[in-house]
Amino acid sequence: MRDWPEKKLGFGLMRLPKLADGNFDMEQVCQMADAFLANGFTYFDTAFVYEGSEEAFRKAVVERHPRESFTIASKLAGWRLKEGFGPEEMLAETMSRMGVDYIDYYLLHSLQESHGTIYEDYGCWEFINRKKEEGVLKHIGFSFHGSPEYLEQLLQLHPEVEFVQLQINYADWDNASICSRRNYEICEKYGKSVIVMEPVKGGLLANVIPEARKVFDEADPNASSASFALRYAASLPAVKVVLSGMSLMSQMEDNLNIFADFKPLSDTEKEIVNRAANVILSSKTVPCTSCRYCVDGCPMGIVIPRVFTFYNMLQSFGEHVRPHSLYKELVEGGAGRAADCIQCGQCEGVCPQHISIIEKLQDASAVLDV
Ligand code: SF4
Ligand code: SF4
């Protein structure tokens, strides 16, 4: 498939900067989008379920830049079809929010075994094929959080799929639940292009624990930790775009520098990254990416990703970063405590990182609920 951007960085619109009142900081979003486009980058990524993101994209990009200067990816959320939308209505809503009359890259969102046959039940595969024939969708694919066996099955059943979006980063490469390596190798086997999501694992690999940072310092003390993670993902030959969910202009500037004159990791740098990965994987931190998929369904109101953030802060940096005070503020604001977990299992069923949340909350409770 042609039509991939020349430069591999994609602007993920899932974590846009916000103001104190909770609204998007549109001034900063516009500045970030302008800098991205001015430096020759083109690929933006959003989704029906990224609240307010499709509208923010319209305001920052569609209404301010020529249509041919950018490409946009968005996603059809199968699990929201139960709420009375058909796929046609969901796509129409996405296009209306974004103010576009075609979509460059359209994905079925988050395929995994636990979503069952929802995309088949609602005729989504036939739907995206038809919309591609009509020219409304230029390229079709899916994002994936399941097992290698399921991925292979899907690619055999749907040879029309042009690309797959996978979670790939050096910490998850050989992870037995995420299976970055095996899923990537299946895409290569079937000749599919790969889009990378979570290359810095929701920010965890941008702020690595001090022991891992020491390893990176040996290679280049001036290179950010995020740069090693992004270059790792972008060095894989089938990878066409690496998404970075940027929240700050400083992150945008760092990423633009990394990808302006992209250099794949050398063999020495790969060895450095592998060593850092081993250090991170042997630490006690919880690999939560703060996607928040688990939050709304918790009957005890536990803001699980925040609890894990404070737990990780404590593990990595100790007391001086104030994890106990921040946790206290969270609980005093009305959130449930880690100790309130009733082990209903709702959260573990929806966690794309396959974290043993109940067990990890017990670890967190032991040090935070004191
Ligand atoms: S298992 Fe615990 S944390 Fe998870 S949803 Fe249930 S009560 Fe909340
Ligand atoms: S679903 Fe998993 S990765 Fe996402 S916020 Fe919850 S614990 Fe973290």
Side-chain angles (χ1 to χ4, degrees), residues 146-355:
S147 69
E149 293 72 26
Y150 186 46
L151 177 59
E152 185 140 28
Q153 190 187 329
L154 286 172
L155 292 180
Q156 283 172 358
L157 279 171
H158 299 288
E160 72 276 20
V161 161
E162 296 168 87
F163 64 96
V164 181
Q165 186 165 309
L166 290 177
Q167 175 165 331
I168 293 180
N169 58 66
Y170 65 76
D172 289 329
W173 188 240
D174 285 314
N175 179 289
S177 300
I178 309 290
C179 303
S180 290
R181 179 206 291 269
R182 289 180 61 204
N183 284 339
Y184 172 80
E185 287 172 353
I186 287 168
C187 288
E188 270 199 325
K189 174 176 156 189
Y190 285 83
K192 303 301 175 188
S193 298
V194 173
I195 310 285
V196 172
M197 57 182 156
E198 303 290 6
V200 290
K201 210 163 165 51
L204 289 177
L205 304 182
N207 294 298
V208 294
I209 55 175
E211 292 78 8
R213 184 59 234 181
K214 275 185 208 152
V215 177
F216 288 141
D217 283 344
E218 283 177 31
D220 183 351
N222 297 316
S224 65
S225 300
S227 73
F228 286 98
L230 292 167
R231 289 178 60 217
Y232 178 90
S235 297
L236 296 162
V239 167
K240 304 301 179 197
V241 177
V242 174
L243 296 174
S244 177
M246 293 172 266
S247 309
L248 292 169
M249 191 63 190
S250 56
Q251 290 167 344
M252 174 64 78
E253 285 163 356
D254 187 33
N255 288 351
L256 294 179
N257 284 334
I258 297 163
F259 283 89
D261 180 22
F262 178 73
K263 290 187 188 60
L265 289 179
S266 67
D267 287 346
T268 312
E269 287 172 322
K270 279 184 198 159
E271 196 264 327
I272 292 271
V273 169
N274 287 337
R275 274 174 51 209
N278 287 336
V279 171
I280 291 165
L281 293 172
S282 61
S283 81
K284 278 177 135 189
T285 52
V286 181
C288 168
T289 61
S290 298
C291 70
R292 296 181 67 88
Y293 291 163
C294 58
V295 173
D296 287 346
C298 175
M300 304 312 290
I302 303 169
V303 189
I304 299 162
R306 302 284 308 280
V307 174
F308 288 152
T309 297
F310 303 144
Y311 177 71
N312 288 347
M313 287 164 73
L314 186 62
Q315 297 302 324
S316 303
F317 305 106
E319 199 53 68
H320 74 276
V321 287
R322 300 175 49 246
H324 283 103
S325 327
L326 293 168
Y327 179 68
K328 191 160 166 262
E329 270 171 37
L330 178 73
V331 171
E332 285 176 355
R337 298 176 311 144
D340 295 336
C341 173
I342 54 168
Q343 306 190 2
C344 69
Q346 176 280 143
C347 51
E348 294 192 357
V350 296
C351 176
Q353 307 305 318
H354 308 285
I355 295 168

Side-chain angles (χ1 to χ4, degrees), residues 107-168:
L107 300 87
L108 301 184
H109 198 164
S110 192
L111 269 69
Q112 53 192 298
E113 285 90 333
S114 61
H115 282 163
T117 55
I118 193 142
Y119 287 102
E120 286 74 20
D121 298 347
Y122 286 88
C124 297
W125 295 99
E126 296 78 9
F127 172 70
I128 58 172
N129 274 302
R130 179 161 56 78
K131 286 294 169 185
K132 186 180 168 194
E133 274 168 27
E134 291 171 11
V136 176
L137 306 177
K138 301 299 177 194
H139 300 291
I140 54 174
F142 59 84
S143 63
F144 188 75
H145 284 287
S147 69
E149 293 72 26
Y150 186 46
L151 177 59
E152 185 140 28
Q153 190 187 329
L154 286 172
L155 292 180
Q156 283 172 358
L157 279 171
H158 299 288
E160 72 276 20
V161 161
E162 296 168 87
F163 64 96
V164 181
Q165 186 165 309
L166 290 177
Q167 175 165 331
I168 293 180

Side-chain angles (χ1 to χ4, degrees), residues 69-83:
S69 68
F70 61 86
T71 59
I72 180 65
S74 193
K75 313 183 190 80
L76 189 149
W79 63 98
R80 294 285 294 274
L81 294 170
K82 290 177 189 157
E83 295 168 15

